[in-house]
Amino acid sequence: MRPTAAAATAAFASPVVAVPSRAAPLAARRRLRRARRFAVRSVASPPTVPKPAAPPSKTGKWQWTFEDKPINIYYEEHEHETAENVKNILMIPTISDVSTVEEWRVVAKDIVARKGELGYRATIVDWPGLGYSDRPSLNYNADVMENFLVQLINSPNSLVANTDGEVVVVGGGHAATIAVRAAGKGLIRPSGIAAVAPTWAGPLPIVFGRGSDMETRYGLLRGTLRAPAIGWMMYNVLVSNEKSIQSQYKSHVYANPENVTPNIVESRYELTKRKGARFVPAAFLTGLLDPVQTREEFLQLFAKLDGDVPVLVASTVNAPKRSKAEMEALRGAKGVTKFVEVPGALLPQEEFSSPVAEELYSFLKESFSSGR
């Protein structure tokens, strides 16, 4: 049996380390040398702690109407007041159990602070049912989320409207793929799309598949999570507890477990306690928010944009194996204008904000500068 992480940490943190004498067994001396080498590497390569972002220029609520119900959507705007010739960027968080605008804040501040031919205004929005937005008990699926994105961009009172009506959409995970799907249908007409660590399969379908027997089980789990009393109990076990959140972030959300700070875990945990918090996760975990069903359909979404919309795809070095395979399938794919790889796993924009911001800014300059 392997020692627990706590036990291992305690062992390395001990202020006194017994040094075996020359008479000690050779194997013991070798173990000590390996431990010393590990300690040196740990000291030489400190974790990358996400930088705190400055406060947004503006925060507020935008009203989305769905099935005749008004739903308040939380948003933040980041911009420099002195910027001229400003281009709008819409940033949408990676859809997950603990999705939040917080993941894009540092990247947004980085981009809008840069001086160049164009200035940028970045608007970050929380999805309905997630983050700081209202969380009504809707029958959430990919079509509902697409409807929200379409209304957000096309509405007369759109948060991202300007004189030319153009907006660059930047999204992570499923959010990116939903944006690409909407653009391919002609429902939105962005001037560019950046897909950061794009995904299309929910946590359970990507592991267990979509056979009829599994779909039945997903339906039972979804129904249980949405139920009034037992739903909260199961949600607390699966999602809404700090150990579960920390475990997910350390295993596959972040690339470096040491970057998962107590502040991050606490922030995400608080989101899971908001009223109505379990409804979107019930859909996401069981695949209802998946914008496509197969890799072939995933590739076709991007192919539809070929020659019409510049598209950046940012894969990640340490994405989980199955997710990484889907990202890599886009390398050289039709409709992908530029393919890059950044450090990170499933949330690189938060864990490694600087390289992500650099790639996004480079894409914006290449796509929209006057010398292009």
Side-chain angles (χ1 to χ4, degrees):
M1 181 181 293
R2 295 180 180 178
T4 64
T9 301
F12 279 111
S14 177
V16 179
V17 179
V19 180
S21 68
R22 292 183 178 276
L26 178 61
R29 295 200 299 274
R30 284 175 174 169
R31 286 196 295 271
L32 178 62
R33 285 197 294 271
R34 285 197 295 269
R36 284 171 173 165
R37 288 197 297 271
F38 175 81
V40 170
R41 285 197 300 270
S42 298
V43 171
S45 302
T48 302
V49 179
K51 300 178 294 184
S57 305
K58 178 183 177 182
T59 64
K61 295 290 182 72
W62 179 80
Q63 194 170 94
W64 172 52
T65 302
F66 185 74
E67 295 179 343
D68 297 324
K69 297 176 182 178
I71 299 167
N72 291 316
I73 301 298
Y74 176 80
Y75 73 90
E76 298 180 354
E77 288 183 359
H78 299 261
E79 65 178 325
H80 269 270
E81 295 179 0
T82 57
E84 296 181 1
N85 195 15
V86 174
K87 194 166 192 67
N88 280 315
I89 303 172
L90 173 64
M91 293 180 163
I92 42 180
T94 300
I95 294 178
S96 73
D97 306 335
V98 289
S99 172
T100 169
V101 294
E102 295 170 10
E103 70 190 54
W104 282 113
R105 280 178 183 162
V106 176
V107 173
K109 281 292 183 184
D110 185 317
I111 290 177
V112 302
R114 300 190 183 214
K115 296 180 180 179
E117 179 183 335
L118 289 174
Y120 296 97
R121 178 189 300 110
T123 302
I124 319 173
V125 298
D126 269 328
W127 289 97
L130 293 170
Y132 301 101
S133 292
D134 287 354
R135 303 183 176 205
S137 177
L138 304 179
N139 291 315
Y140 294 98
N141 57 35
D143 292 337
V144 171
M145 296 310 208
E146 181 182 80
N147 176 287
F148 160 71
L149 183 61
V150 171
Q151 285 198 42
L152 176 68
I153 293 176
N154 295 338
S155 172
N157 66 335
S158 169
L159 295 171
V160 293
N162 61 10
T163 53
D164 59 13
E166 291 189 346
V167 61
V168 178
V169 179
V170 177
H174 275 44
T177 310
I178 289 173
V180 170
R181 189 178 85 160
K185 293 178 179 179
L187 299 177
I188 59 174
R189 298 187 180 279
S191 52
I193 296 177
V196 178
T199 57
W200 59 266
L204 294 181
I206 200 170
V207 175
F208 299 108
R210 288 187 170 278
S212 58
D213 57 333
M214 292 310 303
E215 290 289 2
T216 299
R217 295 181 185 182
Y218 298 157
L220 290 172
L221 174 59
R222 189 163 52 244
T224 302
L225 283 169
R226 289 181 61 90
I230 193 174
W232 270 115
M233 293 173 59
M234 181 168 286
Y235 178 70
N236 288 336
V237 171
L238 295 177
V239 178
S240 184
N241 67 83
E242 291 173 309
K243 286 186 178 180
S244 175
I245 293 169
Q246 183 182 64
S247 175
Q248 288 185 47
Y249 268 68
K250 286 188 172 184
S251 66
H252 60 272
V253 177
Y254 272 26
N256 185 349
E258 293 185 38
N259 288 341
V260 183
T261 66
N263 286 341
I264 290 174
V265 174
E266 183 181 356
S267 166
R268 303 312 189 256
Y269 173 69
E270 288 176 356
L271 290 174
T272 68
K273 293 303 181 183
R274 295 175 67 86
K275 182 180 178 181
R278 71 189 189 278
F279 298 123
V280 169
F284 174 64
L285 288 170
T286 57
L288 275 189
L289 301 189
D290 295 353
V292 293
Q293 303 291 305
T294 66
R295 179 184 293 180
E296 290 69 27
E297 293 177 357
F298 183 54
L299 295 176
Q300 288 170 8
L301 293 183
F302 287 83
K304 289 180 180 179
L305 303 183
D306 189 43
D308 293 330
V309 180
V311 175
L312 167 71
V313 171
S315 179
T316 55
V317 176
N318 297 111
K321 183 178 179 180
R322 292 181 178 89
S323 298
K324 175 77 169 179
E326 303 309 313
M327 296 178 201
E328 286 297 315
L330 292 168
R331 188 186 293 270
K334 185 177 181 181
V336 176
T337 310
K338 184 178 183 180
F339 186 99
V340 300
E341 190 171 62
V342 296
L346 293 181
L347 211 59
Q349 61 269 32
E350 182 171 72
E351 186 181 9
F352 296 99
S353 57
S354 292
V356 171
E358 188 63 40
E359 291 293 354
L360 288 175
Y361 188 71
S362 175
F363 170 68
L364 292 169
K365 285 199 304 181
E366 293 168 6
S367 300
F368 306 111
S369 64
S370 60
R372 176 174 172 264

mmCIF file of all heavy atoms in Angstrom, residues 193-217:
data_model
loop_
_atom_site.group_PDB
_atom_site.id
_atom_site.type_symbol
_atom_site.label_atom_id
_atom_site.label_comp_id
_atom_site.label_asym_id
_atom_site.label_seq_id
_atom_site.Cartn_x
_atom_site.Cartn_y
_atom_site.Cartn_z
ATOM 1 N N ILE A 193 -12.241 33.374 -32.959
ATOM 2 C CA ILE A 193 -12.520 32.470 -31.844
ATOM 3 C C ILE A 193 -11.200 31.897 -31.341
ATOM 4 O O ILE A 193 -10.366 31.451 -32.134
ATOM 5 C CB ILE A 193 -13.463 31.312 -32.244
ATOM 6 C CG1 ILE A 193 -14.838 31.836 -32.639
ATOM 7 C CG2 ILE A 193 -13.598 30.307 -31.104
ATOM 8 C CD1 ILE A 193 -15.811 30.745 -33.109
ATOM 9 N N ALA A 194 -11.022 31.900 -30.029
ATOM 10 C CA ALA A 194 -9.879 31.242 -29.403
ATOM 11 C C ALA A 194 -10.403 30.136 -28.504
ATOM 12 O O ALA A 194 -11.161 30.407 -27.568
ATOM 13 C CB ALA A 194 -9.051 32.238 -28.604
ATOM 14 N N ALA A 195 -10.030 28.911 -28.810
ATOM 15 C CA ALA A 195 -10.481 27.745 -28.052
ATOM 16 C C ALA A 195 -9.318 27.256 -27.195
ATOM 17 O O ALA A 195 -8.340 26.710 -27.712
ATOM 18 C CB ALA A 195 -10.959 26.642 -28.997
ATOM 19 N N VAL A 196 -9.412 27.457 -25.902
ATOM 20 C CA VAL A 196 -8.342 27.094 -24.982
ATOM 21 C C VAL A 196 -8.691 25.771 -24.295
ATOM 22 O O VAL A 196 -9.712 25.668 -23.621
ATOM 23 C CB VAL A 196 -8.121 28.201 -23.937
ATOM 24 C CG1 VAL A 196 -7.039 27.794 -22.947
ATOM 25 C CG2 VAL A 196 -7.764 29.512 -24.618
ATOM 26 N N ALA A 197 -7.843 24.758 -24.510
ATOM 27 C CA ALA A 197 -8.095 23.418 -23.972
ATOM 28 C C ALA A 197 -9.523 22.966 -24.287
ATOM 29 O O ALA A 197 -10.281 22.596 -23.380
ATOM 30 C CB ALA A 197 -7.832 23.372 -22.476
ATOM 31 N N PRO A 198 -9.916 22.990 -25.580
ATOM 32 C CA PRO A 198 -11.304 22.667 -25.931
ATOM 33 C C PRO A 198 -11.656 21.203 -25.644
ATOM 34 O O PRO A 198 -10.838 20.306 -25.841
ATOM 35 C CB PRO A 198 -11.360 22.963 -27.431
ATOM 36 C CG PRO A 198 -9.947 22.775 -27.899
ATOM 37 C CD PRO A 198 -9.093 23.256 -26.767
ATOM 38 N N THR A 199 -12.876 20.981 -25.166
ATOM 39 C CA THR A 199 -13.375 19.639 -24.875
ATOM 40 C C THR A 199 -14.787 19.500 -25.420
ATOM 41 O O THR A 199 -15.436 20.489 -25.755
ATOM 42 C CB THR A 199 -13.393 19.367 -23.365
ATOM 43 O OG1 THR A 199 -14.194 20.371 -22.715
ATOM 44 C CG2 THR A 199 -11.986 19.399 -22.778
ATOM 45 N N TRP A 200 -15.273 18.275 -25.480
ATOM 46 C CA TRP A 200 -16.648 18.081 -25.944
ATOM 47 C C TRP A 200 -17.372 16.967 -25.194
ATOM 48 O O TRP A 200 -18.591 16.820 -25.308
ATOM 49 C CB TRP A 200 -16.703 17.775 -27.438
ATOM 50 C CG TRP A 200 -15.937 16.551 -27.873
ATOM 51 C CD1 TRP A 200 -14.649 16.509 -28.333
ATOM 52 C CD2 TRP A 200 -16.405 15.195 -27.889
ATOM 53 N NE1 TRP A 200 -14.276 15.210 -28.616
ATOM 54 C CE2 TRP A 200 -15.352 14.385 -28.364
ATOM 55 C CE3 TRP A 200 -17.609 14.594 -27.552
ATOM 56 C CZ2 TRP A 200 -15.449 13.001 -28.497
ATOM 57 C CZ3 TRP A 200 -17.736 13.212 -27.688
ATOM 58 C CH2 TRP A 200 -16.652 12.436 -28.163
ATOM 59 N N ALA A 201 -16.658 16.170 -24.396
ATOM 60 C CA ALA A 201 -17.288 15.058 -23.673
ATOM 61 C C ALA A 201 -17.242 15.318 -22.174
ATOM 62 O O ALA A 201 -16.196 15.685 -21.630
ATOM 63 C CB ALA A 201 -16.582 13.746 -23.993
ATOM 64 N N GLY A 202 -18.375 15.126 -21.503
ATOM 65 C CA GLY A 202 -18.455 15.334 -20.062
ATOM 66 C C GLY A 202 -17.655 14.311 -19.289
ATOM 67 O O GLY A 202 -17.188 13.303 -19.846
ATOM 68 N N PRO A 203 -17.474 14.514 -17.987
ATOM 69 C CA PRO A 203 -16.621 13.645 -17.162
ATOM 70 C C PRO A 203 -16.981 12.165 -17.204
ATOM 71 O O PRO A 203 -16.086 11.316 -17.291
ATOM 72 C CB PRO A 203 -16.835 14.210 -15.754
ATOM 73 C CG PRO A 203 -17.181 15.637 -15.976
ATOM 74 C CD PRO A 203 -18.006 15.657 -17.224
ATOM 75 N N LEU A 204 -18.264 11.833 -17.164
ATOM 76 C CA LEU A 204 -18.640 10.415 -17.183
ATOM 77 C C LEU A 204 -18.608 9.821 -18.590
ATOM 78 O O LEU A 204 -18.031 8.747 -18.800
ATOM 79 C CB LEU A 204 -20.017 10.227 -16.536
ATOM 80 C CG LEU A 204 -20.062 10.554 -15.035
ATOM 81 C CD1 LEU A 204 -21.466 10.311 -14.475
ATOM 82 C CD2 LEU A 204 -19.040 9.737 -14.258
ATOM 83 N N PRO A 205 -19.192 10.479 -19.604
ATOM 84 C CA PRO A 205 -19.138 9.909 -20.952
ATOM 85 C C PRO A 205 -17.728 9.718 -21.494
ATOM 86 O O PRO A 205 -17.465 8.746 -22.216
ATOM 87 C CB PRO A 205 -19.917 10.929 -21.797
ATOM 88 C CG PRO A 205 -20.875 11.546 -20.837
ATOM 89 C CD PRO A 205 -20.107 11.649 -19.552
ATOM 90 N N ILE A 206 -16.787 10.610 -21.160
ATOM 91 C CA ILE A 206 -15.451 10.467 -21.716
ATOM 92 C C ILE A 206 -14.737 9.247 -21.122
ATOM 93 O O ILE A 206 -13.834 8.678 -21.726
ATOM 94 C CB ILE A 206 -14.611 11.744 -21.502
ATOM 95 C CG1 ILE A 206 -13.427 11.760 -22.494
ATOM 96 C CG2 ILE A 206 -14.118 11.850 -20.080
ATOM 97 C CD1 ILE A 206 -12.677 13.054 -22.535
ATOM 98 N N VAL A 207 -15.179 8.814 -19.940
ATOM 99 C CA VAL A 207 -14.569 7.649 -19.301
ATOM 100 C C VAL A 207 -15.342 6.367 -19.604
ATOM 101 O O VAL A 207 -14.753 5.335 -19.953
ATOM 102 C CB VAL A 207 -14.479 7.857 -17.774
ATOM 103 C CG1 VAL A 207 -13.964 6.586 -17.087
ATOM 104 C CG2 VAL A 207 -13.567 9.034 -17.452
ATOM 105 N N PHE A 208 -16.673 6.440 -19.503
ATOM 106 C CA PHE A 208 -17.483 5.228 -19.600
ATOM 107 C C PHE A 208 -18.235 5.079 -20.920
ATOM 108 O O PHE A 208 -18.907 4.068 -21.141
ATOM 109 C CB PHE A 208 -18.489 5.179 -18.445
ATOM 110 C CG PHE A 208 -17.841 5.161 -17.099
ATOM 111 C CD1 PHE A 208 -17.884 6.277 -16.272
ATOM 112 C CD2 PHE A 208 -17.164 4.033 -16.648
ATOM 113 C CE1 PHE A 208 -17.278 6.280 -15.031
ATOM 114 C CE2 PHE A 208 -16.556 4.019 -15.393
ATOM 115 C CZ PHE A 208 -16.606 5.144 -14.589
ATOM 116 N N GLY A 209 -18.157 6.085 -21.799
ATOM 117 C CA GLY A 209 -18.810 5.970 -23.091
ATOM 118 C C GLY A 209 -20.287 6.311 -23.053
ATOM 119 O O GLY A 209 -20.811 6.777 -22.036
ATOM 120 N N ARG A 210 -20.953 6.025 -24.183
ATOM 121 C CA ARG A 210 -22.351 6.400 -24.341
ATOM 122 C C ARG A 210 -23.233 5.222 -24.752
ATOM 123 O O ARG A 210 -24.211 5.390 -25.459
ATOM 124 C CB ARG A 210 -22.490 7.518 -25.372
ATOM 125 C CG ARG A 210 -21.978 8.863 -24.889
ATOM 126 C CD ARG A 210 -22.297 9.948 -25.891
ATOM 127 N NE ARG A 210 -22.032 11.267 -25.365
ATOM 128 C CZ ARG A 210 -22.844 11.962 -24.581
ATOM 129 N NH1 ARG A 210 -24.007 11.447 -24.241
ATOM 130 N NH2 ARG A 210 -22.525 13.156 -24.134
ATOM 131 N N GLY A 211 -22.901 4.043 -24.314
ATOM 132 C CA GLY A 211 -23.766 2.901 -24.589
ATOM 133 C C GLY A 211 -25.122 3.081 -23.958
ATOM 134 O O GLY A 211 -25.291 3.860 -23.006
ATOM 135 N N SER A 212 -26.127 2.346 -24.478
ATOM 136 C CA SER A 212 -27.495 2.525 -23.974
ATOM 137 C C SER A 212 -27.591 2.235 -22.480
ATOM 138 O O SER A 212 -28.341 2.900 -21.758
ATOM 139 C CB SER A 212 -28.454 1.611 -24.744
ATOM 140 O OG SER A 212 -28.055 0.249 -24.618
ATOM 141 N N ASP A 213 -26.810 1.255 -22.008
ATOM 142 C CA ASP A 213 -26.855 0.937 -20.582
ATOM 143 C C ASP A 213 -26.293 2.088 -19.749
ATOM 144 O O ASP A 213 -26.822 2.421 -18.679
ATOM 145 C CB ASP A 213 -26.090 -0.348 -20.288
ATOM 146 C CG ASP A 213 -24.645 -0.289 -20.748
ATOM 147 O OD1 ASP A 213 -24.354 0.463 -21.705
ATOM 148 O OD2 ASP A 213 -23.801 -0.993 -20.160
ATOM 149 N N MET A 214 -25.218 2.725 -20.279
ATOM 150 C CA MET A 214 -24.635 3.839 -19.540
ATOM 151 C C MET A 214 -25.546 5.057 -19.582
ATOM 152 O O MET A 214 -25.668 5.780 -18.588
ATOM 153 C CB MET A 214 -23.261 4.194 -20.110
ATOM 154 C CG MET A 214 -22.186 3.134 -19.897
ATOM 155 S SD MET A 214 -22.072 2.560 -18.164
ATOM 156 C CE MET A 214 -21.777 4.106 -17.298
ATOM 157 N N GLU A 215 -26.186 5.311 -20.707
ATOM 158 C CA GLU A 215 -27.103 6.450 -20.792
ATOM 159 C C GLU A 215 -28.233 6.306 -19.779
ATOM 160 O O GLU A 215 -28.690 7.292 -19.189
ATOM 161 C CB GLU A 215 -27.673 6.575 -22.212
ATOM 162 C CG GLU A 215 -26.668 7.018 -23.267
ATOM 163 C CD GLU A 215 -26.263 8.480 -23.109
ATOM 164 O OE1 GLU A 215 -26.734 9.144 -22.167
ATOM 165 O OE2 GLU A 215 -25.452 8.947 -23.919
ATOM 166 N N THR A 216 -28.682 5.076 -19.563
ATOM 167 C CA THR A 216 -29.717 4.827 -18.561
ATOM 168 C C THR A 216 -29.211 5.184 -17.171
ATOM 169 O O THR A 216 -29.903 5.827 -16.374
ATOM 170 C CB THR A 216 -30.154 3.352 -18.590
ATOM 171 O OG1 THR A 216 -30.696 3.051 -19.878
ATOM 172 C CG2 THR A 216 -31.215 3.086 -17.524
ATOM 173 N N ARG A 217 -27.974 4.791 -16.895
ATOM 174 C CA ARG A 217 -27.387 5.101 -15.590
ATOM 175 C C ARG A 217 -27.173 6.605 -15.423
ATOM 176 O O ARG A 217 -27.393 7.148 -14.337
ATOM 177 C CB ARG A 217 -26.060 4.363 -15.438
ATOM 178 C CG ARG A 217 -26.202 2.844 -15.400
ATOM 179 C CD ARG A 217 -24.869 2.166 -15.227
ATOM 180 N NE ARG A 217 -24.982 0.719 -15.297
ATOM 181 C CZ ARG A 217 -23.974 -0.130 -15.141
ATOM 182 N NH1 ARG A 217 -22.761 0.349 -14.898
ATOM 183 N NH2 ARG A 217 -24.167 -1.430 -15.210
#
